[in-house]
Amino acid sequence: MGWYDRRVRKARDLSCGDTRIYLEFEVRRVRCRSCGKVKRERLDFLADNPFYTKRFAHYVGRRCRSATIKDIAEELHLGWDTVKALEKQYMAAQLAKAGTPGPKVIGVDEISIRKGHTYRIVVSDLIRERPIWFGGEDRSEASMAKFYEWLGDKKSRGIRLAVMDMWKPFRNATNARAPQAAILFDKFHIMRHLGEALDQVRKAEYARLSGKDRRFIKGQKYTLLSNRENLTLKGRQSLKTLLAANKRLNTAYLLKESFAQMWSYEREGWARRFFDNWRASLKWQRLKPYEKFADMIDRHWDGIAAYCKPENKVSLGFVEGLNNKIRVIQRRAYGLRDEEYLRLKILTCMLPAL
């Protein structure tokens, strides 16, 4: 048999702004026929914290997408822990609404969550442009395998393309758990390696020269590494002066700029011919960092040639954009010690607001 008990509980109503009010509602209590205990019926409009409604929890969650927990707590006169709990409930509701992913094209990358080489793996659905998994204990093959265990064998077999850097454990785990998936190495990571090679040439030239000859190189690291179209007028003038003053840096810079042509080819044979010619042009240039870079490209050619196939032309910039967004989340919170909270923030950062 059931009976009713009227209770008064504190709650907030958005229609009243910041005004504190009290809502009255009936809580139904039902006596269980099997065990004889009296149990309370759950009310759908209440948040996990019974002092607040779900509507208010969602309001707090939406506000926390663009502000810190501390700011929202001060604005709404709530405790810091209360705001955090309400936001976590909101993000869990976002994930539940998004449903279980079944990705066809995935992007794999790692992020550092604290000092001391502490990494976690982030896997994204590159077609829907949203992160779908955050986890692992490091960036090892065993940690990467946890993603495929979470996804399941059936959905793992549905992956046709995996975009990643040239980290061998990621490649090994993918080959073992999703052997049908083609592996494509992220061109942004490859160009980053080439930028590092150019910087090594710059450092070697600075060490080789002395006196006034160094003044053209000093402080020009980012002028060399930036795209020419992103430079200001002053930056372009500095770059022109630097390249005119140092022949080896001029050669290294032109080689770096010309390598970007690699990504424009739509057939592997043409791309290979371009790379062989580019590599041959290194002869007699005495650019050791570039020779090491060319050897690395040769060793990982299969993952680079995959970019030539039309079906593999996916938006590779999403992974880099996601990394920037994650760094903003970490900076805003001055570091996050609650890893579950960080996981929810990352997985929901691209989802629409409720």
Side-chain angles (χ1 to χ4, degrees), residues 198-209:
L198 175 58
D199 192 48
Q200 291 177 24
V201 175
R202 181 192 65 84
K203 290 178 179 178
E205 286 299 287
Y206 186 81
R208 185 179 66 85
L209 300 174

Side-chain angles (χ1 to χ4, degrees), residues 13-47:
D13 194 301
L14 296 183
S15 62
C16 298
D18 292 336
T19 306
R20 295 190 178 188
I21 66 171
Y22 296 92
L23 294 181
E24 285 192 4
F25 55 87
E26 290 184 346
V27 178
R28 184 179 181 185
R29 293 177 178 269
V30 182
R31 190 182 304 278
C32 180
R33 293 181 179 180
S34 59
C35 65
K37 295 182 180 179
V38 176
K39 299 184 178 180
R40 188 173 64 184
E41 182 182 26
R42 179 175 178 84
L43 299 177
D44 291 336
F45 68 87
L46 284 181

